[in-house]
């Protein structure tokens, strides 16, 4: 069997793992969730949720993955009893399903990038709406773009940890940050942009409600990829002396920072032309093309390039996420069935291509592809978001907090700390972290789960 890869540096660890968390949820979902839940006050609550739920949850998966140095299923069985392997299996299945339907939306982003370059997104609001409706209803084009995105992801993952994932992360994450900064500067220079900045950064505490707390909690949970076994899989490529708490904190800050930059990109431009960016899925494919045209109408060539940069940004953000989701299943088949990495990657690619085509058709050309009165793509989204992700994260915290030897967990948590003072400080953090894993994380996830089903 090929030698198992290891991330070559701390920078590679942060960029690759942050890339797995950074995706369309940061660039699209975070801004419109912020718009729907009171702006700056939602962001403050979101940051608190990242500290309470996100970082402890990330460290939990890091501990399991680095300890085993293997794929997710074997890692859970190694850290706990063999019977706990089912959490790893659940994560592998979850990530594969998500990749299947996520590739459809990522394919739409590729199409819109091509359309932006070709100048096909210029026209009034009615034209942009018709463009999206015509494209999404086509039985061929959306499928081809979705399949193309899966194949691009396959090319990266099949090259391995160092030559594929690490190299792609070192290229894509800086490019993503550069594009974001350029778009933020352009957006904040528009007339009236200050109102968008104020909405994003000036909290209105009258907007605080139980619903805002739960929405922020859910956004933190999904933004950091908790429950997919992605963090566990990537941690299996960490060096043994990696500081897990420090890495988790850096990744969470980078992920949250990109979400804030996305808000600074979208809100000022939207407020400049009188559009509230809380329109959900239609935001990036219907609302924003009009915003770019109106905001930069005085200099059309600027609007043209801004549109290209924006959809390039979406493509890069989606790709960093699809790479990590693909790697979870690839690592499993590579190590458990002793397939070569390339063959293991083809197993996941084949499954995801099939699912992407069916999901694409279910929301476009063939309305009959439904389960429980939902298009198959919506059902996959519902199944993973409402059931599988919360279950994976909940069971991880229960296993690590209550069923794994406390001594073993502490040794793994403190590993890499050789200085006595550092170990003393880290030991104090360990007790706080363990309390959070045992009580805070499960309760928060349970609240999210109940909220999603309307119980609270």
């Amino acid at each position: 069997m090929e030698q198992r890869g290891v991330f070559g540096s701390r920078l590679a660890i942060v960029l690759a793992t942050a890339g797995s968390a950074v995706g369309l949820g940061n660039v699209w979902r975070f801004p419109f969730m912020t718009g729907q839940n009171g702006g700056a006050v939602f962001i403050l609550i979101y940051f608190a949720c990242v500290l309470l739920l996100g970082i402890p949850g990330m460290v939990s998966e890091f501990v399991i993955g680095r300890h085993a140095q293997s794929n997710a299923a074997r890692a859970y069985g190694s850290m706990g009893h063999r019977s706990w392997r089912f959490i790893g299996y659940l994560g592998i299945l979850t990530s594969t399903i998500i990749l299947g339907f996520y590739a459809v939306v990522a394919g739409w982003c590729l199409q819109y990038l091509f359309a932006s370059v070709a100048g096909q997104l210029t026209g009034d609001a009615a034209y942009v709406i018709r463009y999206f409706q015509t494209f999404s209803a086509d039985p061929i084009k959306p499928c081809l773009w979705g399949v193309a995105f899966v194949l691009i992801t396959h090319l990266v993952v099949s090259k391995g940890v160092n030559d594929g994932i690490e190299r792609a992360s070192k290229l894509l994450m800086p490019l993503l940050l550069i594009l974001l900064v350029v778009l933020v500067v352009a957006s904040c220079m528009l007339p009236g942009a200050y109102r968008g900045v104020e909405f994003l950064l000036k909290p209105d505490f009258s907007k605080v409600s139980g619903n805002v707390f739960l929405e922020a909690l859910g956004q933190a949970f999904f933004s950091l990829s908790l429950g997919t076994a992605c963090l566990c899989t990537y941690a299996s490529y960490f060096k043994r002396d990696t500081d897990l708490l420090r890495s988790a904190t850096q990744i969470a800050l980078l992920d949250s920072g990109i979400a804030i930059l996305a808000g600074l990109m979208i809100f000022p431009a939207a407020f400049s032309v009188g559009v509230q960016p809380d329109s959900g899925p239609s935001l990036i494919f219907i609302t924003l093309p009009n915003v770019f045209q109106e905001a930069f109408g005085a200099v059309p060539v600027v609007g043209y390039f801004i549109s290209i940069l924006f959809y390039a940004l979406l493509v890069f953000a989606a790709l960093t996420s699809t790479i990590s989701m693909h790697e979870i299943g690839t690592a499993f088949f590579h190590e458990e069935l002793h397939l070569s990495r390339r063959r293991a990657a083809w197993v996941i690619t084949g499954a995801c291509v099939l699912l992407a085509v069916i999901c694409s058709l279910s929301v476009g050309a063939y309305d009959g592809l439904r389960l429980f009165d939902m298009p198959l793509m919506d059902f996959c989204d519902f199944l993973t978001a409402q059931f599988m992700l919360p279950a994976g994260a909940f069971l991880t915290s229960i296993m690590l907090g209550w069923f794994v030897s406390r001594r073993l967990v502490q040794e793994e948590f403190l590993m890499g700390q050789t200085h006595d003072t550092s170990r003393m400080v880290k030991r104090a953090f360990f007790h706080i972290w363990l309390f959070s894993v045992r009580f805070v994380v499960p309760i928060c996830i349970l609240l999210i789960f109940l909220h999603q089903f309307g119980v609270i």
Side-chain angles (χ1 to χ4, degrees), residues 52-53 394 397-398 401-402 406 431-447:
L52 287 173
L53 172 67
F394 180 82
S397 64
I398 294 298
W402 296 98
R406 177 174 176 145
H431 294 297
I432 298 171
W433 169 76
L434 187 61
F435 176 84
S436 182
V437 169
R438 283 184 164 183
F439 299 103
V440 178
V441 173
I443 291 172
C444 286
I445 295 173
L446 188 61
L447 288 173

Side-chain angles (χ1 to χ4, degrees), residues 328-404:
I328 299 166
T330 297
F332 172 77
F333 285 107
H334 175 48
E335 295 174 8
E336 297 302 311
L337 300 185
H338 307 294
L339 300 176
S340 69
R341 169 167 275 273
R342 291 183 183 277
R343 289 184 178 180
W346 274 118
V347 173
I348 297 299
T349 296
C352 291
V353 162
L354 178 61
L355 186 56
V357 169
I358 297 173
C359 286
S360 179
L361 293 174
S362 74
V363 292
Y366 298 100
D367 187 56
L369 293 170
R370 306 174 75 87
L371 280 175
F372 298 98
D373 202 33
M374 288 183 283
L376 184 64
M377 180 165 163
D378 293 345
F379 174 76
C380 289
D381 187 10
F382 173 80
L383 176 67
T384 53
Q386 306 279 8
F387 288 97
M388 300 175 79
L389 285 172
F394 180 82
L395 291 170
T396 296
S397 64
I398 294 298
M399 185 198 87
L400 200 64
W402 296 98
F403 290 92
V404 178

Side-chain angles (χ1 to χ4, degrees), residues 255-269:
D255 179 74
S256 300
I258 288 176
I260 296 296
L261 285 175
L264 286 171
M265 170 185 66
I266 291 174
F267 279 90

